[in-house]
Amino acid sequence: DGGITQSPKYLFRKEGQNVTLSCEQNLNHDAMYWYRQDPGQGLRLIYYSQIVNDFQKGDIAEGYSVSREKKESFPLTVTSAQKNPTAFYLCASSISLDRTNEQFFGPGTRLTVL
Amino acid sequence: GQQVMQIPQYQHVQEGEDFTTYCNSSTTLSNIQWYKQRPGGHPVFLIQLVKSGEVKKQKRLTFQFGEAKKNSSLHITATQTTDVGTYFCAGRDTGRRALTFGSGTRLQVQP
């Protein structure tokens, strides 16, 4: 949907393991975002990037890390330091960060840590 | 920091009834966007409001941006079962580069 792919749709990991969620977009967008959604709650911003090799912490960055080596890709690593990693993770992109552009979301990855 | 609150958290209506969700920000916003997330899906952009007092319509949906640019509303006239989902507002204040999403209002429509 919207040219953004996230895989896998469902992911299971054991507690204490790091896990990397993929996000790829073919929209030629400069800005990309990672959000976390918990049941009955809104979207909370984890990290965002306005351009290759640049990214900024969002509101809940602790326990997460990202990289932006290519324009199309913005993978998110959920580290063992994240205290409550089980959640629905959404990746999004927009033309740029500074303009008031709409965000396009991927289908999401539902992570369950056992 | 910036906070964006939405009320109600949940609303259950009979098909054909109207529905309104309200969005309130603790700070003045430069713009506000609305998204819809169907059950099991991902948020999809509906509309953006930029000007103070702006009103926009999309068929049965009416969006308003407050005069002070700190609140917004989404009104659905004569709801249909296809309106089921969670509606989020998202705004950006002048001191922040990224959007802040509201907590969402989940709409359930009884046929």
Side-chain angles (χ1 to χ4, degrees):
Chain A
D1 281 69
I4 299 181
T5 57
Q6 290 184 246
S7 61
K9 188 170 183 178
Y10 298 95
L11 191 56
F12 296 87
R13 280 294 183 270
K14 292 183 179 179
E15 193 173 344
Q17 291 181 334
N18 290 359
V19 59
T20 298
L21 312 184
S22 74
C23 176
E24 303 279 332
Q25 55 99 358
N26 61 4
L27 300 169
N28 200 32
H29 286 173
D30 283 328
M32 296 188 75
Y33 315 82
W34 273 106
Y35 294 92
R36 171 183 172 137
Q37 186 174 31
D38 294 284
Q41 296 193 29
L43 282 69
R44 292 186 289 169
L45 183 65
I46 305 172
Y47 268 98
Y48 61 99
S49 167
Q50 66 167 344
I51 201 167
V52 174
N53 293 323
D54 176 79
F55 48 83
Q56 305 294 329
K57 291 182 179 180
D59 300 312
I60 56 165
E62 185 175 351
Y64 300 97
S65 66
V66 293
S67 63
R68 187 86 187 276
E69 296 175 3
K70 298 187 300 182
K71 187 175 185 177
E72 309 80 41
S73 180
F74 191 40
L76 172 74
T77 297
V78 185
T79 75
S80 56
Q82 168 52 231
K83 295 178 182 178
N84 186 17
T86 294
F88 187 47
Y89 290 88
L90 286 158
C91 178
S93 71
S94 63
I95 293 174
S96 74
L97 183 64
D98 292 323
R99 292 171 59 187
T100 54
N101 297 297
E102 66 181 278
Q103 293 187 12
F104 294 83
F105 284 83
T109 293
R110 196 167 297 276
L111 173 65
T112 301
V113 175
L114 307 171
Chain B
Q2 180 190 12
Q3 289 189 329
V4 178
M5 307 298 292
Q6 275 185 261
I7 55 170
Q9 188 174 4
Y10 171 76
Q11 186 148 12
H12 187 160
V13 300
Q14 291 290 124
E15 190 171 20
E17 292 181 338
D18 292 356
F19 160 78
T20 303
T21 173
Y22 300 91
C23 178
N24 296 290
S25 171
S26 57
T27 60
T28 301
L29 302 171
S30 58
N31 66 301
I32 195 150
Q33 298 179 353
W34 285 90
Y35 292 79
K36 176 183 178 181
Q37 184 177 23
R38 294 183 186 274
H42 58 276
V44 174
F45 176 81
L46 294 176
I47 208 161
Q48 175 168 263
L49 305 170
V50 179
K51 299 176 184 176
S52 169
E54 190 171 11
V55 178
K56 287 188 176 180
K57 292 190 176 184
Q58 286 181 349
K59 297 182 181 179
R60 295 178 294 104
L61 278 62
T62 302
F63 304 84
Q64 281 190 297
F65 200 9
E67 294 289 342
K69 301 185 76 174
K70 295 182 72 173
N71 57 75
S72 180
S73 64
L74 158 59
H75 179 83
I76 302 178
T77 303
T79 53
Q80 300 175 357
T81 55
T82 53
D83 296 325
V84 165
T86 301
Y87 293 85
F88 293 99
C89 63
R92 175 163 53 187
D93 70 19
T94 53
R96 180 180 161 98
R97 302 185 71 190
L99 288 173
T100 297
F101 277 78
S103 48
T105 295
R106 185 159 70 95
L107 172 64
Q108 184 65 36
V109 180
Q110 184 73 35

